[in-house]
Each structure stands twice: as structure tokens, then as C-alpha cells.
Amino acid sequence: MDVTPPHRRSDATRAAILEAARDRFAQDGYDGATVRAIAGQAGIDPSMVIRYFGSKEGLFARVVDVALDIPDPARIPAEDLGRVLVTHFLELWERDGVLVTLLRVGVTNPAGAQRLRGVFRDQLVPAAERFGHDPADAPRRATLVASQILGMALLRYVLKFGPAAEMSRADVVAWLAPTVERYITSPEP
Amino acid sequence: MDVTPPHRRSDATRAAILEAARDRFAQDGYDGATVRAIAGQAGIDPSMVIRYFGSKEGLFARVVDVALDIPDPARIPAEDLGRVLVTHFLELWERDGVLVTLLRVGVTNPAGAQRLRGVFRDQLVPAAERFGHDPADAPRRATLVASQILGMALLRYVLKFGPAAEMSRADVVAWLAPTVERYITSPEP
DNA sequence: GAGCATATGCCAACACCTGTTGACCTTGCG
DNA sequence: CGCAAGGTCAACAGGTGTTGGCATATGCTC
């Protein structure tokens, strides 16, 4: 898709804009993050943002592009399933601000919600199909797992509630792992 | 605190503004809900909103005033604890848009996040103290329960994900009840 | 019932902020 | 040198919360 020559003189600026945008979107959401604030943080003029990314929406689309990289169930011992998955998701949320951005924007912006649904449908549900025994159950299992993971991420990384943010990662994993495991493997409540 | 005479001629208008505000805030969040849109839906002039509630923030403070009414643990049979609590929270989220509003705004607006923290600290943690055996553990238990409930509410009532919204209430209760119960009663993961 | 004070409501405008655009310099490379 | 890409500046059109002035209608006092 990107057929432009690999080295442009403005690549540094583009990268600076993207980095600033990631930061501002994650911090302030879509409406809260103004083009002027992003440009200011990147140290350039607001008009450059538009020239390089077409529009604010175009920039946002570039920023929010996430691969969940859910591990292959075949390579996980059955008794470690919950622990491995929860650990993976925590790392995902802590890696960069993309998921925080996605959630922040998805909650207020219809287009953002659409994008969140896309991630759920294209990555989480298929993973649930690989994990569970009955593929028809996958959407429900994915929903249950997502509810627990999203809820903890919301408290811990978005709202930054004291008790949630201060829990050690090991504690979070220890408590959530059995829940997630049950949602995936148990045939009924 | 409210010493004004009980019957003002403008009470109907005030109520209309509050109702419209509840709706718009729940739907569009704090920034998305404009004073003009609220006034339009209430069928009056935008200036009336300011005159009656001082400012947009004042109106929002009036709208977002929620009592979780968490039931008394002494009146719940131990084996019904999870079911009763999950059912209670689902009804709370479905009753009116207040919790949806609170979540939508809390995610993007710092003041909204503060208010959400207040609800958590003043209502959820004390409840966890009454429920659990070790009061020192209450913040962590409240966090775990909140993570599961908030996550499901997020998918079901805010983002309106298909699979989450279409699950029957009974199904949600059946799946979440054991989780919530474990978070409250189990001394360790 | 008449007159008046006051509450109620609308209109127009304000100052500010938003995304976006076009004209204009400036730098670096062929 | 010439020319295109990189970058800045100022301005635009539209939307925001908020304010003051002006019309109207209501309810109270005589």
C-alpha cells in the first residue's frame, strides 16, 4: 500500500507527530487531543499534521492500529491457560498507549466504538474459536473474557484507581487467571 | 440545603432540562453533549440552562448523583451472594443512564474520573468492608468486583457490543455470580 | 379588578477554540 | 543556479459556553 520511497527527509517529523499523537490521544481522548496540542508536543506547526496525514481522523487511524497477538493455544499447557492469557493482556496494555487510546476514544466516539468492535470481532472471537471446544460458543466466551480484562484495564490503566493501579501484576494475574480460564474452558456456569 | 419554596413556576422547565441533560450526557459524554443540544431537546433556549444551573459543569453535577444502594450482606444467604449482587448491579445500570454517563465522562474528563473514584471510595469499598472478613482487604476486593462489573457494563451498556448486549440477563448473572462471589469471599486466589 | 414587581423566556452577541487551507519563506539536493 | 520539498504564518468558517438586554406573562397587593 505504501509505495513511497523508503527514505524521506521528513520521516523524523512524521515519527514525531505520530509519537505525540499517540501520547495525546491516549491521555485526552479523540476530542480532547487537539491538532494544535499534538503539533506543539511534536515541535512543529499544526498545518504539518494535516499535510502529512490528511486530517485529524487520518492521523487517528494511523495511531490506532493494534495487533493483539493472542498466543497459540496449542503451545500452552492447559493448567497455565489463564495465567498465560492474563499476563499477555497486561503486557499488551502496558506496552504502549494504543489500547488505552482505543478504549478512551471508543467510549465517547462512535467511530472509535466501531474500531473497538472490529478488534473484538477480528481478533478476540477467532481466538476464542481456537481455544474453546464449541465454536458456536466463541462470541460469548470472548465477551466474558473481554469483560474481565477490559474492566481491570479500565480501572488500572485508564481511570488509574489507587487500589487497582497499586496491585502487583502477579496479584492481578493470580486473581484473574481462574476467572478467565473458567470463561474459556467451562462448558456452563 | 434547598430553602427555596417548593413550587416554582419553572419547575417543569428545570425538570425538562435535567431529563434532556441526562439523556445527552449519557449518549455523547461531557464534551459531546453541548448546551445547545440539551436546550434543544428540552425545548428551551440555551441561556436558560446557564441561568438555572449556573454553568454546564453545575448542570452535570446535578445530573451525576448516584446511590448504589448496595444491599445489606446480613440479609443475603451466603450461597446467593454472587447472584444477588450481580443482579443488583445490572438493575442499577439499566435503571437510568446515570452510571453510563458517569463511565463515559469518567473515561475522558478528569473531573469525571474524580467523581467515579468518589463513588468507588465512598460506596463500594465500605460495602466490601461489610461483606468480607478482613477489612484491610476491602479495597482489593472492591477493585476486583468493580473490574468484573464495570467491564461487563462497558461492553453491554456503553459500547453495546452485539454478543454482550444480546446475552440474557440470566446468563450474565449465571456466569458472573461465581466470579464476584469468589472475589468477595475467597481469602486467596 | 388594576397596577406593579418579578420570574420566565428568547434573541443576539461576546470571546474563545476548533480543524483546515492557502500564501509565503527556507532549506537542501541535482 | 533552479526547483521541489519542508516548514511557518495568518486567516478562514464554524462551533463552543456564557452574558446582557429586552419582551412577555404570571402572581401578589391594594
Side-chain angles (χ1 to χ4, degrees):
Chain A
M1 197 59 67
D2 192 23
V3 291
T4 50
H7 288 301
R8 277 170 304 196
R9 190 150 48 91
S10 60
D11 278 350
T13 303
R14 296 179 118 89
I17 294 177
L18 276 176
E19 190 189 330
R22 259 186 273 273
D23 192 37
R24 300 321 308 165
F25 278 135
Q27 202 98 11
D28 305 330
Y30 185 80
D31 295 309
T34 68
V35 173
R36 283 172 170 82
I38 294 169
Q41 186 162 328
I44 45 93
D45 191 86
S47 63
M48 301 300 294
V49 174
I50 303 297
R51 187 183 293 184
Y52 284 153
F53 297 92
S55 66
K56 184 183 179 180
E57 277 207 52
L59 173 61
F60 179 73
R62 274 293 188 85
V63 164
V64 176
D65 188 14
V66 62
L68 296 188
D69 290 326
I70 297 170
D72 183 2
R75 310 186 58 182
I76 308 176
E79 70 270 22
D80 289 342
L81 207 150
R83 215 189 326 275
V84 168
L85 281 181
V86 175
T87 304
H88 176 76
F89 280 118
L90 288 186
E91 282 168 357
L92 220 51
W93 279 88
E94 290 169 9
R95 191 208 296 162
D96 49 30
V98 175
L99 285 177
V100 174
T101 302
L102 211 49
L103 183 51
R104 269 229 164 84
V105 174
V107 165
T108 30
N109 189 289
Q114 186 88 10
R115 215 172 292 266
L116 250 182
R117 268 190 290 269
V119 173
F120 178 82
R121 170 173 26 86
D122 301 335
Q123 302 193 49
L124 225 74
V125 173
E129 281 170 358
R130 295 200 308 274
F131 275 94
H133 305 97
D134 181 3
D137 250 13
R140 201 187 51 195
R141 300 185 182 285
T143 296
L144 289 167
V145 172
S147 77
Q148 177 59 94
I149 299 291
L150 272 177
M152 179 53 80
L154 182 72
L155 291 177
R156 202 171 151 88
Y157 304 120
V158 178
L159 298 175
K160 297 190 207 300
F161 275 20
E166 287 156 10
M167 272 178 83
S168 74
R169 191 198 280 198
D171 259 15
V172 175
V173 172
W175 279 99
L176 297 198
T179 301
V180 169
E181 195 165 320
R182 184 168 64 85
Y183 289 161
I184 293 180
T185 61
S186 170
E188 52 189 68
Chain B
M1 197 58 69
D2 191 24
V3 293
T4 52
H7 288 301
R8 275 170 304 195
R9 192 155 44 92
S10 60
D11 278 350
T13 303
R14 297 179 116 91
I17 294 176
L18 276 175
E19 191 188 330
R22 258 186 273 273
D23 193 36
R24 300 322 308 164
F25 279 135
Q27 202 99 11
D28 305 329
Y30 185 80
D31 295 310
T34 69
V35 173
R36 283 171 171 81
I38 293 170
Q41 185 160 329
I44 46 94
D45 192 87
S47 64
M48 302 299 294
V49 175
I50 303 297
R51 187 182 295 182
Y52 284 154
F53 296 94
S55 66
K56 184 182 180 182
E57 277 208 49
L59 172 62
F60 179 73
R62 272 294 186 84
V63 165
V64 176
D65 188 13
V66 62
L68 296 188
D69 290 326
I70 297 170
D72 182 1
R75 311 186 59 182
I76 309 177
E79 69 270 21
D80 289 342
L81 207 150
R83 214 187 328 274
V84 168
L85 281 181
V86 174
T87 303
H88 176 75
F89 280 118
L90 288 186
E91 280 169 358
L92 219 52
W93 279 87
E94 290 169 10
R95 192 206 297 161
D96 48 31
V98 175
L99 285 177
V100 174
T101 303
L102 210 49
L103 183 51
R104 268 228 163 84
V105 174
V107 165
T108 30
N109 190 289
Q114 185 87 10
R115 216 173 292 265
L116 248 183
R117 267 190 291 270
V119 173
F120 179 81
R121 170 173 25 85
D122 302 334
Q123 303 193 51
L124 226 74
V125 173
E129 281 171 358
R130 293 200 310 273
F131 275 93
H133 305 96
D134 182 2
D137 249 13
R140 201 188 50 193
R141 299 186 182 286
T143 296
L144 289 167
V145 172
S147 77
Q148 177 59 93
I149 299 292
L150 271 176
M152 179 52 80
L154 182 71
L155 292 177
R156 202 171 153 87
Y157 304 119
V158 178
L159 298 176
K160 298 191 208 299
F161 274 21
E166 287 156 12
M167 272 178 82
S168 75
R169 192 198 278 197
D171 259 16
V172 175
V173 172
W175 279 99
L176 297 198
T179 301
V180 169
E181 194 165 320
R182 184 168 64 84
Y183 289 161
I184 292 179
T185 61
S186 171
E188 54 189 65

